[in-house]
Amino acid sequence: MTVDELIAPSDVETGTVFRAPRREDGAAISRLIGDCPPLDTNSTYAYLLLCEHFSQTCVVAVGESGEIDGFVSAYIPPQKPDVLFVWQVAVNERARGSRLAARMLHALVWRCAAKPIRYIETTVGPDNIASRKTFEAVALAAEAPIAETALFDATLLGDDAHEDERLLRIGPFDIDMLTPL
Ligand SMILES: CC(C)(COP(=O)(O)OP(=O)(O)OC[C@H]1O[C@@H](n2cnc3c(N)ncnc32)[C@H](O)[C@@H]1OP(=O)(O)O)[C@@H](O)C(=O)NCCC(=O)NCCS
């Protein structure tokens, strides 16, 4: 692994390595997303593009077995250079319960320390408690307020079964507050 790929020091206790995704991870990431409802599934090609073009703002957590236990996709919106927009967060069922999602988010922000990020934005369904608790914990660690507003209502998502996607905005914060957990 190159220094450029390694996002944060390995978790010594669990043996988890946080690193930037590579194109070879695309198919495994696609399967992980499929195994993590209620996340929307996308083509493997879409995940290959994330690995190829957005690896600097995405992270995979690789467990001791060498399998991908977690994934976060994120990007800096072109019109908002101070925002890290987090798209999908997934933790394999076998790895849940030890706040791996929050640890991935901390590792990712730590990796972005040279960038002028002062906000994290994400969308979250109204009933996704684990996801909400994850972002609340990040806001607490960043000592930053968290605001919730409407973003995409279910009709825009073109699917009767889809919940509204509400925007959570954490910040402003000092990026140095979010060190690896
Ligand atoms: C959301 C997700 C990534 C979190 O995984 P994780 O990091 O292993 O999360 P944990 O199991 O450690 O739970 C995080 C917090 O939520 C709480 N929690 C988890 N499931 C819960 C539930 N069903 N009800 C209430 N609280 C719950 C935990 O107790 C923990 O709280 P704490 O920090 O106060 O101890 C994972 O559940 C997942 O992949 N879900 C499916 C995909 C998804 O919904 N992604 C998020 C949308 S972008």
Side-chain angles (χ1 to χ4, degrees), residues 5-142:
E5 282 178 323
L6 188 62
I7 289 194
S10 301
D11 186 314
V12 176
E13 267 176 44
T14 63
T16 305
V17 170
F18 300 93
R19 64 163 173 78
R22 310 171 184 137
R23 59 170 75 158
E24 291 78 12
D25 299 321
I29 291 170
S30 190
R31 281 195 299 276
L32 172 67
I33 299 295
D35 289 342
C36 288
L39 293 180
D40 289 333
T41 53
N42 298 278
S43 65
T44 298
Y45 188 86
Y47 293 105
L48 283 173
L49 288 180
L50 288 172
C51 295
E52 191 70 12
H53 296 147
F54 296 92
S55 63
Q56 299 299 301
T57 50
C58 297
V59 56
V60 287
V62 181
E64 242 171 352
S65 64
E67 302 287 314
I68 291 179
D69 281 340
F71 172 66
V72 174
S73 55
Y75 60 90
I76 297 170
Q79 280 92 8
K80 296 182 181 177
D82 60 352
V83 171
L84 181 69
F85 182 83
V86 176
W87 178 27
Q88 289 187 308
V89 182
V91 171
N92 191 296
E93 283 219 39
R94 65 174 174 253
R96 286 186 194 164
S98 57
R99 300 179 182 164
L100 184 57
R103 281 153 55 213
M104 288 192 290
L105 288 165
H106 276 245
L108 183 53
V109 173
W110 187 76
R111 176 102 192 272
C112 292
K115 298 182 171 43
I117 292 167
R118 301 193 70 223
Y119 297 87
I120 291 172
E121 291 185 355
T122 193
T123 63
V124 56
D127 300 327
N128 197 331
I129 298 173
S131 179
R132 285 175 177 273
K133 284 201 164 192
T134 295
F135 284 100
E136 282 163 14
V138 170
L140 196 66

